[in-house]
Amino acid sequence: MSLNKPDREAIIKAEEKAKRDNEIKFSQSGGSVYVNGTKYTDAHNAINKINKGN
């Protein structure tokens, strides 16, 4: 499974809403995201991590 454009946009919005200092980096292909150094390939788990913080 990999992230699509709506997933990437949802992750960005979740980060803005959470107002936490998470480090968010998308892979070059855009198929995965790193949240505080942990790789996620699905938006649900990445957003959960963002909302929970460190």
Side-chain angles (χ1 to χ4, degrees), residues 30-43:
S32 62
V33 63
Y34 292 85
V35 179
N36 296 328
T38 304
K39 182 179 179 179
Y40 296 94
T41 57
D42 62 294

Side-chain angles (χ1 to χ4, degrees), residues 23-52:
E23 183 181 351
I24 307 292
K25 291 184 181 181
F26 290 97
S27 66
Q28 189 172 13
S29 67
S32 62
V33 63
Y34 292 85
V35 179
N36 296 328
T38 304
K39 182 179 179 179
Y40 296 94
T41 57
D42 62 294
H44 176 76
N45 288 333
I47 291 171
N48 282 342
K49 175 67 174 182
I50 290 167
N51 290 332
K52 289 181 183 177

